[in-house]
Amino acid sequence: TMAKLVVEVVEANDLMPKDGNGSSNPFVEVEFGGQRQRTSTRHKSLNPRWNEKLVFGVRNPEELSSRTIEAFVYNDNRQGFHRNFLGKVRMSGMTAYVSQHDASLQRYPLEKRGIFSHVRGDIALKVYVLNGRNGDFRPSRQRKTTPSKKRTFYSLGSEVVSTVTETMSLPGEEKAAEEYGVVETRPPLAARLGFWGRDKTASTYDMVEQMNFLFVRVVKAEDLPAMDASGSLDPYVEVKVGNYKGVTPHFEKSRNPVWNRTFAFSKERLQSSVIEITVKDRDVSKDDFVGKVVFDVPDVPERVPPDSPLAPQWYKLLDKRGELLKRGDIMLAVWMGTQADEAFPDAWHSDALGVNQESVGTTRSKVYFSPRLYYLRVQVIRAQDLVPADPSQPADAVVRVELGGQGRCTGPSSVKGSNPVWDEELMYVAWEPFDEYVVVSVEDRDIVVGRVLIPVRNVPQRVETTKPTDALWYGLQKPSFVEEEGGEKKDKFASRVLLRLSIDSGYHVFDEPTQFSSDLRPSAGQLRKPSIGILEVGILGAKNLLPMKAKEGKVTDAYCVAKYGNKWVRTRTLLNDLNPLWNEQYTWEVYDPYTVITVGVFDNGRVDGGGGKDRKVGKVRIRISTLETDRVYTHAYSLLVMGPAGLKKNGELHLAVRFTCTAWPVMLSQYMKPLLPKMNYNMPISIKHVDLLRHLAMGVVAGKLARAEPPLAGEVVEYMMDVDYHMFSMRRSKANFFRVMGLVSGIHSVGIWLYGVSRWENPVTTVLIHVLFLVLVSWPELILPTFFLYLFAIGLWNYPARVRVPPHMDARLSQAEEADPDELDEEFDTFPTSGEMDLVRMRYDRLRSVAGRVQSVAADLATQEERAVALLSWRDPRATAIFVAFSIAAAVLLYVAPFRMVVLVAGLYLLRHPRLRRKLPPIPVNFFKRLPARSDVLL
């Protein structure tokens, strides 16, 4: 009987796009012993999944170890008549498992076919042998347990490139990568339809779908009739269209109330052709009818911006029978409009009319501006004539400086007594308007012995100069005197402190992580350059949101927040809707292409008037430099959130994005300029202080936005600004490690290719390299032009395969799908930790093991550096003598021999045929490894 070799093609990840639209149609073709089989084609996928088994006959299983298995990944183009190379894998038959039960999944990085191939990604295969007594095989059953799997990457033959042991869950394996990707959509936007399909009324609002609303503005009423015997009236207005009803606040004892409220009813949801506007009198038992006005919906005029707002008019009130009342007029404006209407943001929408009066503000769309931030520098130099808290002991004073909740202390003075000296510099975050005070307190053994209040508006500003401001003496006052008199009068307290204060407005103040900065401009207005373009974002809607209030018997009250620079926008809240449609468009000025806009989706937890927090649904980041100018990007982005339970997809957010450049020369020149203002480089702030100041700035922004009306919740601001991004995460550490290894693997591939050239594995390639080498040695002036011409050719070659989709959260790169539950629990643990002692001990031991491996790598790097130093240090006198003698001989040889001849001989020596090589390491490597290092003197 003939044995069978089974190659189970499971999946591939991160393939190179080849179809010109940022995707590929991959299939796998496997060759073994002259037999060739292929899988089916997976259309439009860079992370395909096949789970197909290809079976090959093996006549003599004993010869399998000397055979080669080759798997090629191609892009299926033109219905199979043409194919593009996506990568290959070559395996030795020794890698095949002897049984299907023992076979495990192995990942192989895809390799290039030649020097000009462009390949990326890896492929997952299972290779095993069946004895084939009956010539058939049965697929193994899926295990019910969650195994711990070893993820191993192989290259040519059976050489292991890297091995990473991870705990992977089977449900995470079976998720398709497309579930978390970006999907292009084609909504009927005016910006996409072009001139002929564009509605002329939507020219300035062309990034969203037009939504029609019935607007009713209730302004005021006059001379309303009295309903009580006392002649009083507590009027309010009820606006009713079908089943939708909006109510204004009531006024007590007022016959001439002014409401000035606007209601918006979605035209798609109108269930009646009549608008009833009724004035009622609030009563304890039952509200009394005062009068009404009735409109027919078909007769309502349409108003489209930029038309002027519709002027309200006076209408006579009617009784219940439709007859005119003797008294009572109401001023109204009724019109049909769109979301581009000026009244739209402040209107009460029909889907939020059930919200109580106190919480309705949290459902409206708003635009916020965070304050302009500055760095405040305080240098505490010294003090004079301090009165110690304890007269029997010399003063041991410190200075505490506070600004709006930011408080820091100097260290103890090097000079004890009444004239201490500190000469320490403290930095704070100030904001406009400068209406705060710098509170400087001198404390002796935790007792305040003097205090001074300095208005921030009186502090001098430094723009771009590094010259320090003048130091000034400030008289200290007793704390009780400062609190009672506000520091406006002077007492006879003789102590004073020498301070140097300055507002450094030439810096850029970081209020978000550097990687996601949305603004890089300096604080000083005179240093800010004009904008280079306009960013337009249409927040279309969301699909398939998960119910965030399922326990409360509701679904999701969703709204969006977008942040770019100091401008924050918030859409209206759509209640109880898992597929909300906002269709709101916003615009930002762009000053630097290397900036990021962040759009987040949240569940409103304050619509019921309670103190609940807004829940995060997910967010999207888009870097402006990755967008083509004047192109409209319409895509659906997966809303992904990491939590203690792992990765969770909460739905998709649909956006339309367009970047328009208004100053091409300025934008191109930005790529040649430093990212930050000059002062960030002329007087750099230490990394430790930058992190501290960034968190202070985040606190200032969150505090200011929380005091706006309606407030932007602190948890929303923190999530948008990634407050906890600096916290340790084993998952992110793994992701960053694989990012580094991804870069190193490219260098490793080049090294393997050069090694293959020098070993004559492909004689044709090696001969061509010899010819190229001889040409460059003969005409060295062609080296740099050839190099840059090669870069130019690679750039043109990659242009058709460029990514046409904006970047989005990569779940696989983030190690989110394969994160260990304990690692996630550690990532979302509080700081300081709240875990049990045994759990903390286990995590500490794990961290020690990881740090031990990092320590070993650092030790190897240090050893190589010390060996290089030992070449001339005479630590090993014989080795240094040999190297010195070699150096003088090499100097004489290079002086006598032509340099071109030396390069020619060295190159031909490196490219010599394998028959002229030895398998032992070369002499320079042997000599270098014998040099001494300082590792033998470590304790």
Side-chain angles (χ1 to χ4, degrees), residues 571-822:
T571 68
R572 67 191 189 280
T573 300
L574 298 182
L575 305 181
N576 286 322
D577 196 347
L578 297 180
N579 298 284
L581 294 177
W582 293 289
N583 280 307
E584 299 184 23
Q585 180 173 338
Y586 298 95
T587 303
W588 287 266
E589 288 187 326
V590 178
Y591 297 89
D592 194 309
Y594 190 74
T595 46
V596 175
I597 182 173
T598 305
V599 184
V601 182
F602 300 89
D603 174 50
N604 196 330
R606 294 171 169 83
V607 293
D608 296 329
K613 290 189 175 182
D614 294 354
R615 301 177 179 91
K616 57 187 178 183
V617 180
K619 64 184 173 184
V620 175
R621 298 192 199 103
I622 301 176
R623 187 169 295 278
I624 309 303
S625 60
T626 62
L627 303 178
E628 299 178 13
T629 56
D630 298 320
R631 179 188 169 188
V632 179
Y633 292 84
T634 52
H635 292 85
Y637 302 83
S638 299
L639 296 173
L640 307 177
V641 172
M642 287 297 299
L647 180 65
K648 186 177 182 181
K649 179 180 177 181
N650 289 327
E652 300 95 28
L653 176 63
H654 292 244
L655 298 176
V657 182
R658 177 173 60 194
F659 170 58
T660 304
C661 181
T662 57
W664 271 97
V666 179
M667 184 183 70
L668 295 179
S669 65
Q670 288 279 7
Y671 286 89
M672 314 301 169
K673 296 179 180 179
L675 278 176
L676 301 176
K678 294 180 181 178
M679 206 163 184
N680 287 78
Y681 300 100
N682 294 336
M683 294 184 62
I685 305 173
S686 64
I687 299 297
K688 179 180 69 174
H689 285 94
V690 167
D691 291 338
L692 173 62
L693 292 172
R694 180 170 60 245
H695 285 280
L696 294 177
M698 288 179 178
V700 170
V701 173
K704 290 297 180 180
L705 295 179
R707 297 178 61 185
E709 185 59 39
L712 201 58
E715 60 270 17
V716 173
V717 178
E718 292 178 358
Y719 180 64
M720 294 289 291
M721 301 180 74
D722 291 281
V723 171
D724 57 350
Y725 187 78
H726 68 289
M727 299 298 292
F728 172 78
S729 167
M730 182 66 75
R731 174 185 60 83
R732 279 200 290 258
S733 300
K734 286 182 179 179
N736 292 327
F737 171 76
F738 285 116
R739 288 171 62 194
V740 174
M741 293 305 298
L743 297 177
V744 173
S745 63
I747 302 175
H748 181 259
S749 299
V750 174
I752 291 177
W753 178 78
L754 292 175
Y755 181 80
V757 170
S758 63
R759 296 288 174 172
W760 290 71
E761 292 182 357
N762 190 334
V764 176
T765 303
T766 304
V767 170
L768 292 177
I769 293 298
H770 275 79
V771 173
L772 178 62
F773 175 71
L774 294 175
V775 171
L776 294 179
V777 170
S778 303
W779 293 280
E781 63 273 10
L782 296 179
I783 295 178
L784 289 179
T786 303
F787 173 73
F788 286 106
L789 183 62
Y790 177 67
L791 296 181
F792 173 77
I794 292 178
L796 291 183
W797 181 269
N798 289 337
Y799 180 77
R802 68 191 184 279
V803 179
R804 305 297 302 273
V805 177
H808 185 46
M809 312 294 183
D810 192 329
R812 189 174 298 276
L813 177 65
S814 305
Q815 300 294 305
E817 297 176 279
E818 303 167 359
D820 185 81
D822 180 67

Side-chain angles (χ1 to χ4, degrees), residues 278-416:
T278 307
V279 181
K280 293 187 176 183
D281 176 31
R282 177 64 56 88
D283 205 344
V284 177
S285 58
K286 181 180 179 181
D287 297 346
D288 297 325
F289 175 87
V290 178
K292 68 178 181 179
V293 177
V294 180
F295 295 92
D296 292 329
V297 174
D299 298 335
V300 173
E302 291 189 5
R303 185 238 169 193
V304 179
D307 294 348
S308 299
L310 194 66
Q313 299 180 12
W314 287 103
Y315 294 89
K316 288 287 186 179
L317 291 177
L318 307 177
D319 59 15
K320 293 182 179 179
R321 295 175 296 179
E323 298 180 359
L324 290 176
L325 294 175
K326 295 181 180 179
R327 304 177 61 179
D329 298 317
I330 187 170
M331 181 179 282
L332 303 170
V334 183
W335 72 96
M336 284 289 183
T338 66
Q339 70 267 44
D341 202 291
E342 292 85 351
F344 180 80
D346 295 324
W348 285 27
H349 293 270
S350 55
D351 52 3
L353 294 178
V355 180
N356 57 51
Q357 301 281 346
E358 294 77 14
S359 305
V360 71
T362 64
T363 65
R364 294 174 177 169
S365 55
K366 283 292 180 182
V367 177
Y368 306 83
F369 286 92
S370 57
R372 185 178 296 186
L373 305 178
Y374 297 80
Y375 285 144
L376 173 67
R377 194 185 299 265
V378 180
Q379 185 178 3
V380 183
I381 303 176
R382 57 195 177 98
Q384 276 187 354
D385 302 329
L386 288 184
V387 178
D390 186 355
S392 63
Q393 296 182 3
D396 185 12
V398 297
V399 177
R400 180 175 181 84
V401 183
E402 297 176 285
L403 174 64
Q406 310 170 41
R408 296 181 62 194
C409 285
T410 65
S413 170
S414 58
V415 179
K416 309 295 182 182

